[in-house]
Amino acid sequence: MLPEGNWITRAPTLKRKAILMAKVQDEGGHGLYLYAAAETLGVSRDQLIDDLHAGKSKYSSIFNYPTLTWADIGAIGWLVDGAAIMNQIPLCRCSFGPYARAMVRVCKEESFHQRQGYDIMMTLCRGTAEQKAMAQDALDRWWWPSLMMFGPPDADSVHSAQSAQWKIKLLSNDELRQRFVDQTVPQANYLGITMPDPDLKWNAETSHYEFGAIDWSEFHAVLKGNGPCNRERLATRVKAWANGEWVRDAATAHAQKRAARMTREAA
């Protein structure tokens, strides 16, 4: 469960460790919900996992960035999970029932993740000058990748029109991104840290924040497997899957024995 899993053993307090473990457990559950939803379309979970390990399936670009300090865990919770909530709330009303139902629970749990991330950032910003600088550094590195999470601009989005026609996507990439910026900038101001965007400004006429140009070349490079941690993260997933084979085999054997026993008792 990367990147947060790297910090479970390095969390600064027992309380933070317990919270992070709960978050990682939630995220594992989210993966199971989405695999289950995908299976209703006729594809097996084994095939989905094989495609992921082979590099055929794409996953969110945000998971390919490093977590250099504890502040990154706060920034991920605040920004990344905050962006995820902004993306996922409309999906609770999308036309694909299994996905929509999964999103209801996912959004509830992600709201906890967002709050714990913001709490980490607030604690750092109220701490020493060094701790506040750590929070600022994490914001500087995670802000732009978080904006990229909403996908390319509407004019360049390949699948948005079809998703909107099928009522899977209810709001456009640019609409969601704007909502996220409008929500997040005041939160950063409250923390006393600065958005890494010299072009950011409030437009009184539109009642929205205007923000600078996003470097989409970085976004596309990460999607193509050339991000800071793409190869490392995928290799870790493949290794974990291989190391867990004995657990899956044991669980399958237990289930088979249990089914056989129930069959004998019913006979």
Side-chain angles (χ1 to χ4, degrees), residues 202-208:
W202 175 254
N203 187 321
E205 293 184 2
T206 63
S207 295
H208 292 297

Side-chain angles (χ1 to χ4, degrees), residues 36-112:
E39 285 177 309
T40 67
L41 299 174
V43 61
S44 71
R45 189 171 305 189
D46 286 340
Q47 184 60 54
L48 291 168
I49 292 173
D50 287 344
D51 287 347
L52 175 64
H53 292 171
K56 296 179 181 178
S57 297
K58 287 184 171 60
Y59 54 91
S60 180
S61 61
I62 200 70
F63 296 125
N64 294 305
Y65 288 87
T67 48
L68 306 180
T69 70
W70 173 249
D72 288 47
I73 302 303
I76 289 173
W78 171 36
L79 300 175
V80 175
D81 294 324
I85 293 170
M86 191 65 68
N87 258 322
Q88 292 163 348
I89 286 177
L91 294 175
C92 295
R93 307 188 304 275
C94 78
S95 61
F96 181 29
Y99 195 48
R101 290 189 289 273
M103 284 298 108
V104 172
R105 180 165 181 175
V106 168
C107 286
K108 290 179 180 178
E109 293 175 347
E110 289 293 349
S111 66
F112 154 72

Side-chain angles (χ1 to χ4, degrees), residues 14-260:
L14 184 59
K15 175 183 175 182
R16 294 293 186 192
K17 185 190 297 287
I19 292 173
L20 186 57
M21 289 176 66
K23 178 187 178 182
V24 169
Q25 179 177 331
D26 286 347
E27 298 291 5
H30 297 175
L32 293 177
Y33 305 155
L34 299 184
Y35 275 128
E39 285 177 309
T40 67
L41 299 174
V43 61
S44 71
R45 189 171 305 189
D46 286 340
Q47 184 60 54
L48 291 168
I49 292 173
D50 287 344
D51 287 347
L52 175 64
H53 292 171
K56 296 179 181 178
S57 297
K58 287 184 171 60
Y59 54 91
S60 180
S61 61
I62 200 70
F63 296 125
N64 294 305
Y65 288 87
T67 48
L68 306 180
T69 70
W70 173 249
D72 288 47
I73 302 303
I76 289 173
W78 171 36
L79 300 175
V80 175
D81 294 324
I85 293 170
M86 191 65 68
N87 258 322
Q88 292 163 348
I89 286 177
L91 294 175
C92 295
R93 307 188 304 275
C94 78
S95 61
F96 181 29
Y99 195 48
R101 290 189 289 273
M103 284 298 108
V104 172
R105 180 165 181 175
V106 168
C107 286
K108 290 179 180 178
E109 293 175 347
E110 289 293 349
S111 66
F112 154 72
H113 304 167
Q114 197 270 346
R115 287 196 297 272
Q116 67 87 28
Y118 194 72
D119 182 66
I120 291 173
M121 296 295 281
M122 186 178 296
T123 300
L124 292 171
C125 289
R126 290 177 175 176
T128 64
E130 183 180 5
Q131 289 172 324
K132 187 171 184 179
M134 187 187 301
Q136 179 67 64
D137 175 65
L139 171 59
D140 291 347
R141 288 182 287 105
W142 287 94
W143 174 242
W144 294 108
S146 296
L147 294 188
M148 296 176 195
M149 285 180 64
F150 297 96
D154 294 340
D156 301 329
S157 181
V158 177
H159 304 293
S160 286
Q162 183 67 80
S163 296
Q165 183 180 357
W166 289 344
K167 298 189 184 302
I168 294 174
K169 197 177 189 69
L170 304 182
L171 295 172
S172 74
N173 296 350
D174 289 336
E175 288 176 311
L176 291 167
R177 190 170 11 253
Q178 185 65 62
R179 290 188 180 193
F180 177 70
V181 172
D182 292 343
Q183 170 184 287
T184 308
V185 172
Q187 296 172 351
N189 294 338
Y190 182 79
L191 292 174
I193 50 182
T194 305
M195 288 295 184
D197 182 357
D199 297 323
L200 183 70
K201 61 182 179 181
W202 175 254
N203 187 321
E205 293 184 2
T206 63
S207 295
H208 292 297
Y209 282 96
E210 297 177 359
F211 52 94
I214 297 172
D215 181 6
W216 291 110
S217 63
E218 176 185 334
F219 173 76
H220 291 297
V222 173
L223 286 186
K224 291 177 181 178
N226 299 317
C229 298
N230 286 64
R231 293 172 181 80
E232 173 192 337
R233 295 282 159 79
L234 191 55
T236 300
R237 285 180 172 86
V238 172
K239 181 180 178 181
W241 180 257
N243 290 343
E245 183 177 8
W246 69 272
V247 178
R248 297 190 299 275
D249 290 345
T252 300
H254 174 73
Q256 291 172 343
K257 289 181 179 179
R258 185 171 183 272

